[in-house]
Amino acid sequence: MVDLTRAEYPLSSKYDADWLLDCDMGPNPLWLLEDLAGELDLTPGLKVLDLGSGKGATSVFLAKEYGVQVWAADLWVDPSDAAANFAAHGVDATALKAEAHTLPFAREFFDVIVCIDAYEYFGTADNYLAYLTGFLKPGGRLGVATPAMTREVRDLGYIPEHIKKLVGWEAIAWHTPEWWRFQWEITELVEDVSARMQKSGWSDWLAWAEAASERTGTPDGILEMLRADQGEYLGFALVSARKRG
Ligand SMILES: C[S@@+](CC[C@H](N)C(=O)[O-])C[C@H]1O[C@@H](n2cnc3c(N)ncnc32)[C@H](O)[C@@H]1O
């Protein structure tokens, strides 16, 4: 039996490990969100977009733990999968299929936008922050958890072999927290920017990959990559800011 309870993530520890692993599309989404949430001023009733919400575990967590109204938008996962998770947890959230560049919402509709392990797929273009913050009310918060490296691939001049072997060129989207900070601050669209490498990012990711692999009984390329890395390059960046205005 897999144990995903962690003293440092008391809210996440309330959720069933098998359910979390059934929802698995990326590592430890609730741990990432619980850490990031401290920067997001989540209070009951706020309108929150969970962008790239996958099967909806983070949306369930947002609704249950913070009492916010959640819109769960995702491209690859059928919204009925997330809706089934919402119903099973007694959560009244809205699941929809949406592409991150053509979001079907009114301008300034949301108080908070959260994006856990998905921003790397669509959020690295220079113009994306301006597009996305268009959906935030002035003063609203944006919070992103995204795979990160301790050094920019551009500075290294190469993608480290153990990372390239698994993710190939996609690692060029795994930026350092410093890259994100500059990228967001220079726009002056947001203020109060926080960008940090999560302290336990690599070890949490490893623990999750071990749990996932133990459950399926199959060897895992992610485990191999993380073990080879030993925390030298890989982890997660937690990035948040407030929309000006
Ligand atoms: C690694 S999964 C993470 C899912 C979920 N946030 C979690 O942590 O379990 C990345 C998610 O990003 C979504 N995604 C990727 N590209 C997208 C796009 N262009 N627009 C909307 N969602 C996208 C995928 O559908 C997928 O569910």
Side-chain angles (χ1 to χ4, degrees):
M1 170 130 168
V2 175
D3 180 12
L4 290 177
T5 59
R6 293 287 181 282
E8 58 277 37
Y9 303 117
L11 301 180
S12 307
S13 296
K14 294 191 271 181
Y15 292 81
D16 179 64
D18 283 319
W19 174 65
L20 288 172
L21 290 167
D22 283 344
C23 292
D24 180 19
M25 294 190 66
N28 49 276
L30 298 197
W31 299 347
L32 292 166
L33 177 54
E34 189 169 346
D35 193 341
L36 183 66
E39 299 170 15
L40 301 179
D41 295 337
L42 293 167
T43 52
L46 291 185
K47 290 180 178 162
V48 178
L49 172 61
D50 185 358
L51 182 57
S53 49
K55 295 178 186 167
T58 46
S59 306
V60 167
F61 184 82
L62 285 163
K64 284 187 86 83
E65 302 304 327
Y66 304 100
V68 296
Q69 302 176 63
V70 184
W71 281 258
D74 195 84
L75 184 62
W76 304 338
V77 178
D78 191 302
S80 63
D81 289 359
N85 273 323
F86 300 160
H89 284 84
V91 159
D92 183 19
T94 305
L96 63 144
K97 189 178 182 75
E99 204 288 316
H101 298 88
T102 51
L103 294 172
F105 304 110
R107 285 186 66 78
E108 303 191 353
F109 184 73
F110 293 104
D111 299 289
V112 177
I113 299 177
V114 164
C115 185
I116 305 297
D117 192 11
Y119 209 73
E120 62 277 12
Y121 295 109
F122 47 75
T124 57
D126 293 345
N127 51 10
Y128 192 70
L129 184 72
Y131 173 72
L132 188 60
T133 52
F135 297 96
L136 266 184
K137 292 176 186 166
R141 292 262 178 191
L142 171 62
V144 169
T146 186
M149 288 179 52
T150 54
R151 304 269 313 275
E152 279 298 313
V153 167
R154 185 172 291 264
D155 295 339
L156 287 169
Y158 58 89
I159 300 172
E161 206 48 48
H162 60 289
I163 301 173
K164 188 159 91 178
K165 189 172 162 201
L166 188 75
V167 296
W169 63 265
E170 291 189 42
I172 60 176
W174 293 4
H175 289 290
T176 60
E178 294 71 30
W179 186 91
W180 285 110
R181 177 187 299 283
F182 182 84
Q183 184 78 2
W184 286 15
E185 277 182 345
I186 196 72
T187 65
E188 299 184 6
L189 295 167
V190 291
E191 57 194 0
D192 195 14
V193 177
S194 164
R196 59 189 164 99
M197 201 74 174
Q198 202 197 18
K199 243 193 244 160
S200 55
W202 171 81
S203 55
D204 282 358
W205 193 349
L206 180 69
W208 181 276
E210 282 172 345
S213 152
E214 184 187 321
R215 189 157 175 270
T216 58
T218 51
D220 190 322
I222 296 175
L223 258 184
E224 198 185 313
M225 174 180 80
L226 291 167
R227 285 179 178 151
D229 189 76
Q230 286 302 307
E232 183 181 0
Y233 295 111
L234 294 173
F236 266 79
L238 300 183
V239 191
S240 70
R242 185 170 52 224
K243 179 174 173 176
R244 275 185 195 271

